[in-house]
Amino acid sequence: MAKTSILEVTIHNVETGEIITRPMNDDELAQAAIDQANYETAKADKAQKAADKAALLAQLGITEEQAKLLLG
Amino acid sequence: MPTATDLVTDLPADFAVFGQAVDTSMAGLLGGTTGQVLSKTSATNMAFTWVTPELGDITAVTAGTGISGGGTTGAVTITNSMATAITTSGDLIQGTGSGTFARLGSGTNGQILTTNGTTLSWTAAPTSGSMTSIASGSLSGTSLTLSSIAQTYKHLYLVINNPGFTGTASLPMFRINGNASASNYGMKSSQFGTATWLNNTALAYIDPTVSNGTAYNTAANYTYVLQIENYASTTFKRISYAAMVGFLETFAGFGNFLSAAAITSLTFSTVSGVPTFNSGTYILYGVN
């Protein structure tokens, strides 16, 4: 049987010193899913921008350093 | 009959039976010279010999500095005066001059030892210019939340050391009060070695590596620090942060937490939200 991954959060109560680790509740799971989706989107955007930049430089026939020189 | 040199142990008995021999074992007590004393030579009865005692040359015990008692005859007692000056748990002994001392009673709870250059005394701990560790431990789970932060300090200083985690490489993030609204995080960051300042206001968290850091899941030589000014304020809170990622990448950022709520909790996690920490430590300081 495949092992089920349970996402847990650690909460350290600074006032009492109590430390508990418990499974994420529904709100926390939902936020983790949003964070993960945003991260994947940002990562894809970053990769796409890098690809677009490389393609443009190739189209212009110049290097990145030459492009910086032009814009500088 | 007993001879002239025999020692008689029970004269009447000796003579009760004519010709009875007498116990001559004490004949060994004969002899010796002036000043000698009798000494046992073994555990056997009547095993004695005369010996000359070794004489000591101590004629008196005199109490010196820090010692009391002494004497010239009989059992002599000397006492460590420093020890008897201590009357209560926590007492200290401090010098008051050459060869003199006095008891210094323990201070009260929270007091610290100070000096005016010549004399020690207990005084109240300073209420400013101090950092107090208010929470520390090891990272575990997918996130660490420091909750119920007392509002009794001026600033907060959080240090995360060597956070490692299982699973896919990711980047670290801080979140304040569990707030996941991008409009509340007005941050700008930069990576040292680049001339670009990135506007991170679109992020719903503080990103100490400016989204440019190398995603990782190991823990070697990574440190993140977060400073929050006037965290108990009900207006905007100024924040500065830094990330030292290995030996090659260093980041810094500044901004405001754009919320009127006082800060009562801080969360450290990863931007992808799911890796589980398997190493690393944290320590939160309250700063005055």
Side-chain angles (χ1 to χ4, degrees):
Chain A
M1 178 184 286
K3 187 178 177 184
T4 303
S5 175
I6 299 174
L7 300 181
E8 293 184 323
V9 294
T10 298
I11 300 173
H12 184 148
N13 186 315
V14 176
E15 190 173 13
T16 64
E18 182 186 27
I19 301 174
I20 61 167
T21 299
R22 59 161 175 74
M24 282 187 176
N25 59 33
D26 290 346
D27 289 345
E28 290 161 344
L29 283 170
Q31 187 59 54
I34 292 170
D35 289 339
Q36 192 169 17
N38 288 341
Y39 175 60
E40 294 302 330
T41 301
K43 201 164 67 170
D45 285 350
K46 189 176 175 183
Q48 186 59 53
K49 281 181 182 172
D52 291 347
K53 184 177 177 181
L56 185 58
L57 289 173
Q59 195 176 351
L60 294 172
I62 60 175
T63 65
E64 186 169 355
E65 285 67 33
Q66 289 170 323
K68 283 181 182 173
L69 199 59
L70 279 174
L71 296 173
Chain B
M1 290 295 290
T3 66
T5 56
D6 285 341
L7 292 176
V8 179
T9 57
D10 188 349
L11 192 60
D14 291 339
F15 287 97
V17 178
F18 179 78
Q20 175 176 283
V22 296
D23 179 359
T24 61
S25 59
M26 292 185 69
L29 295 180
L30 294 173
T33 59
T34 301
Q36 285 193 311
V37 297
L38 209 53
S39 172
K40 291 284 285 185
T41 57
S42 74
T44 304
N45 286 340
M46 309 307 290
F48 295 105
T49 188
W50 293 102
V51 298
T52 302
E54 293 183 7
L55 298 176
D57 57 1
I58 295 175
T59 58
V61 175
T62 304
T65 302
I67 302 293
S68 61
T72 58
T73 60
V76 173
T77 300
I78 58 173
T79 302
N80 180 344
S81 300
M82 283 191 179
T84 55
I86 295 173
T87 62
T88 310
S89 174
D91 283 356
L92 296 176
I93 299 296
Q94 73 165 315
T96 54
S98 176
T100 61
F101 55 86
R103 167 184 175 271
L104 176 63
S106 177
T108 57
N109 186 22
Q111 284 192 312
I112 60 172
L113 197 59
T114 187
T115 178
N116 62 7
T118 56
T119 305
L120 300 175
S121 63
W122 294 101
T123 188
T127 56
S128 62
S130 65
M131 291 178 68
T132 304
S133 170
I134 56 177
S136 62
S138 300
L139 296 172
S140 65
T142 57
S143 67
L144 165 72
T145 295
L146 298 163
S147 67
S148 301
I149 300 172
Q151 305 294 291
T152 52
Y153 299 93
K154 291 181 180 174
H155 318 297
L156 293 177
Y157 185 73
L158 174 61
V159 181
I160 306 288
N161 264 319
N162 297 328
F165 44 82
T166 59
T168 308
S170 187
L171 295 169
M173 75 163 175
F174 292 106
R175 190 163 265 155
I176 298 173
N177 287 351
N179 190 313
S181 171
S183 62
N184 287 126
Y185 295 89
M187 305 292 163
K188 288 198 173 187
S189 313
S190 183
Q191 178 177 3
F192 286 101
T194 70
T196 306
W197 279 86
L198 299 175
N199 189 341
N200 288 353
T201 53
L203 300 177
Y205 48 82
I206 297 171
D207 173 9
T209 57
V210 205
S211 299
N212 269 346
T214 303
Y216 74 96
N217 56 10
T218 60
N221 305 307
Y222 290 63
T223 297
Y224 305 102
V225 297
L226 180 67
Q227 294 183 135
I228 304 176
E229 307 288 315
N230 300 316
Y231 70 102
S233 165
T234 51
T235 60
F236 298 161
K237 271 71 68 176
R238 299 194 189 286
I239 290 174
S240 57
Y241 50 94
M244 284 65 77
V245 181
F247 297 112
L248 299 175
E249 296 180 328
T250 307
F251 306 85
F254 309 91
N256 283 292
F257 180 54
L258 304 170
S259 166
I263 294 174
T264 58
S265 79
L266 297 172
T267 297
F268 179 72
S269 184
T270 56
V271 293
S272 59
V274 293
T276 298
F277 291 114
N278 58 12
S279 66
T281 60
Y282 62 92
I283 182 164
L284 176 66
Y285 295 94
V287 182
N288 278 316

